Amino acid sequence: KTSPGQIALYNEAIQNAYLQKIHLRDKLKEAIKFQLLSVHYQPIIDSTTSKICKFEALVRWSDSELGAISPAQFIPIAEEFGLIHQIGQFVLEKSCKDLAKIHSQGHTHISISINRSVNEFKASNDQYKQIIHAIEENNLPYDALTIEVTESVAANQYTWQVLGELQKKGVQIALDDFCTGYSSLSHLLKSQVDFVKIDRSFIDTLIDDKKKQAMVKYLVELGDDIGTRLIAEGVEQEEQVSMLKQFGCHNVQGFFYSPAQPISVCLNMLKS
Ligand code: C2E
Ligand code: MG
Ligand code: MG
Ligand code: MG
């Protein structure tokens, strides 16, 4: 049985969490306004050549008072308070500009992947127009851009429609964080995605888990049959890399190769 004192403490905790959230929201608004967000890029490696074929754009925020704040923490806040669209637009424009820089240095086979929240796909946002505009403005081929969405899009018919239109134009679609939560193979059958990204939590325990190994082998085979490439996320150990390569997993991404880095560092990676 709870005493009045306990309830007061409980209420206080809720209130503190709420105030913290509001504080973060206000800081984030400021960061957007004063252009304090940046974008880093994590290399994605082609398993057959062991060379970089793609970069994933990941938004970064470092606050003078709070330090580096993870997107896992501030993206949900941005979504809740209607700030996600501005962040998404910034990441889209910056990524396309930086990819044009990469292409201008002769690395024209490189593509870029950006993350999109389901909340960004609203009729009023016109994602289609904005994405196509950013690509064309930077004279990029349409297939040099991949849009990553999590499986929650499956619940939203409108999002699939927009993604389908983008795909018709040549833009690539990736299903992010696959094999987490209530992921279902039916999402793969519903729409033709170009990439499936197996989540880090799945790769973490791959070496000791025969069932997961079987699953990866199966997904590679399925992917080969239906024209979907498999990307393993969060690869940290050499053993994971060699196992994934042995299974025919098309692409690998993770700290084993590199965390997300500023564009200048990425340009150097491509030179070596
Ligand atoms: P995600 O799209 O699944 O991105 C992969 C996350 O895993 C990134 O975290 C990346 O830094 C991390 N990661 C990659 N390899 C490794 C590894 O080997 N070990 C470990 N421990 N971690 C690894 P990050 O940058 O903190 O982003 C977290 C999530 O925030 C992303 O997950 C994505 O859902 C979201 N996010 C990031 N940038 C954006 C953005 O511009 N827009 C939207 N809507 N969401 C974003
Ligand atoms: Mg992603
Ligand atoms: Mg992911
Ligand atoms: Mg994730």
Side-chain angles (χ1 to χ4, degrees), residues 42 56 59-60 71 91 115 117 176-177 200 233-234 236 255:
Q42 185 177 32
E56 178 174 2
V59 68
R60 294 290 177 258
V91 173
N115 292 282
S117 307
D176 204 354
D177 300 353
R200 185 178 88 225
E233 287 192 293
E236 293 184 352
F255 292 174

Side-chain angles (χ1 to χ4, degrees), residues 199-244:
D199 194 67
R200 185 178 88 225
S201 58
F202 201 86
I203 300 300
D204 267 354
T205 46
L206 181 72
I207 296 295
D208 304 312
D209 194 327
K210 286 263 186 304
K211 275 189 193 166
K212 286 185 176 165
Q213 294 169 17
M215 180 76 172
V216 171
K217 278 194 240 176
Y218 166 72
L219 284 173
V220 169
E221 202 176 313
L222 176 69
D224 285 339
D225 283 347
I226 65 173
T228 297
R229 294 173 70 81
L230 212 62
I231 304 176
E233 287 192 293
V235 173
E236 293 184 352
Q237 299 153 18
E238 189 150 29
E239 294 90 322
Q240 294 167 337
V241 173
S242 38
M243 183 175 275
L244 288 161

Side-chain angles (χ1 to χ4, degrees), residues 108-149:
T108 49
H109 63 291
I110 300 291
S111 57
I112 219 142
S113 212
I114 63 171
N115 292 282
R116 275 289 185 266
S117 307
V118 176
N119 288 355
E120 293 179 74
F121 292 88
K122 289 197 183 108
S124 56
N125 285 345
D126 211 342
Q127 282 292 313
Y128 177 85
K129 238 195 206 150
Q130 282 168 1
I131 289 168
I132 294 300
H133 178 76
I135 294 173
E136 289 177 348
E137 202 179 26
N138 289 284
N139 294 313
L140 294 166
Y142 297 109
D143 65 0
L145 188 72
T146 300
I147 308 289
E148 295 188 10
V149 286

Side-chain angles (χ1 to χ4, degrees), residues 162-177:
V162 177
L163 291 174
E165 282 164 19
L166 284 167
Q167 225 177 4
K168 258 185 240 154
K169 207 65 178 157
V171 177
Q172 312 266 290
I173 307 301
L175 212 47
D176 204 354
D177 300 353

